[in-house]
Amino acid sequence: MRRKLIAGNWKMNGDQDLVRRVAEHAADSGGGAEMAVCPPFPLLAAAASQLPFGVALGAQDVSEYEAGAYTGEVSAGMLLEAGCRYVIVGHSERRTLYGEDNGRVAGKFVAARGAGLTPILCVGETLAERDAERTEVVVGEQLDAIMDAVDGPAFQGAVIAYEPVWAIGTGRTATPDQAQAVHAFIRQRVAERDGSEVADQLRLLYGGSMKAENAAELLAQPDIDGGLIGGASLDPESFLSIYNAAAEG
Ligand code: PGA
């Protein structure tokens, strides 16, 4: 059985007050599923000290390097020391706005794993790619880049988030069938290279306008093991509702 994971990606939002309110609401989360919160770097310390036991902390990005003259970067070791268990790697906003290609994303994935963090690898196609029926090609290449960079089963113990770019922050969600089809493809692709045991245990999150109103039907799909929540994670009540949908489902 894969334990569902609901992770909040705050992006460049939030402040000390949001940390406090989310921590308060998280105290009402009953277990059953796992909750994680990924605030911006300067809020990690406050979140680490205020989130209730059992709520995991994650970061939104990581350097592919261990240490050195990389102004503005944060290493995986630093994130671990700050209390992080997870780190988002290859979010589409990093790929499109900051030019992160599959090679750089693979470097970050390897660095995160090497330090003992659990990477949440984001994959997903643009609307043009979906319309051209290239979803599986694009997502397949994003997965292969990671599996090519790692000796042995790359996704053992990792998390993958399928986030169709056209659904992120747009209010337009993939239908449960559309999401399930890509999730099944991802699990199959991982099984081919990493083996079926790794693929069966791998948690696959859906991301892209997941909210309290649509969470339950997405989470009911057999290959959807949780959500990576952007906008709705900034409202502690909505975030808790989504979590409860996962915990009860
Ligand atoms: P959204 O963002 O829930 O606001 O669509 C999801 C994400 O980008 O991780």
Side-chain angles (χ1 to χ4, degrees):
M1 250 321 255
R2 299 182 292 266
R3 188 165 181 234
K4 288 201 165 53
L5 170 63
I6 298 297
N9 172 14
W10 290 10
K11 310 191 179 186
M12 199 171 73
N13 297 295
D15 52 19
Q16 299 285 345
D17 185 56
L18 185 62
V19 171
R20 188 184 51 72
R21 288 188 297 123
V22 168
E24 266 171 28
H25 280 73
D28 295 334
S29 64
E34 185 182 357
M35 181 187 284
V37 177
C38 306
F41 294 132
L43 295 174
L44 286 173
S49 68
Q50 291 178 48
L51 287 172
F53 182 78
V55 177
L57 189 63
Q60 300 172 17
D61 188 22
V62 63
S63 171
E64 66 264 54
Y65 303 112
E66 268 180 43
Y70 301 105
T71 300
E73 294 290 284
V74 174
S75 75
M78 291 170 183
L79 295 179
L80 198 70
E81 204 182 328
C84 290
R85 179 183 308 160
Y86 294 103
V87 61
I88 298 169
V89 171
H91 189 280
S92 72
E93 285 149 19
R94 303 281 337 156
R95 291 178 189 261
T96 49
L97 301 174
Y98 300 97
E100 290 189 14
D101 59 13
N102 280 337
R104 178 156 300 226
V105 172
K108 293 181 174 208
F109 185 96
V110 169
R113 252 179 63 122
L117 292 168
T118 299
I120 301 177
L121 174 75
C122 297
V123 298
E125 81 288 2
T126 63
L127 189 55
E129 289 162 345
R130 173 161 282 265
D131 287 346
E133 295 181 8
R134 295 192 69 244
T135 298
E136 293 192 358
V137 174
V138 170
V139 172
E141 282 171 2
Q142 291 168 338
L143 297 173
D144 286 350
I146 304 296
M147 295 191 279
D148 289 345
V150 177
D151 287 333
F155 291 114
Q156 188 154 35
V159 175
I160 297 176
Y162 169 56
E163 300 206 304
V165 177
W166 46 273
I168 295 176
T170 58
R172 186 177 161 192
T173 321
T175 65
D177 286 350
Q178 283 174 324
Q180 166 58 27
V182 182
H183 281 229
F185 165 77
I186 292 171
R187 204 179 298 286
Q188 177 58 33
R189 186 73 159 228
V190 171
E192 282 161 18
R193 302 257 315 245
D194 283 358
S196 56
E197 205 171 313
V198 170
D200 284 347
Q201 287 171 7
L202 180 64
R203 290 189 291 181
L204 302 181
L205 314 185
Y206 170 79
S209 301
M210 194 190 259
K211 41 188 179 273
E213 298 78 47
N214 59 27
E217 55 174 359
L218 286 159
L219 292 166
Q221 299 301 309
D223 287 295
I224 301 185
D225 309 310
L228 184 56
I229 321 298
S233 73
L234 301 174
D235 173 4
E237 273 174 34
S238 297
F239 188 55
L240 187 63
S241 305
I242 297 170
Y243 172 84
N244 286 334
E248 286 156 17

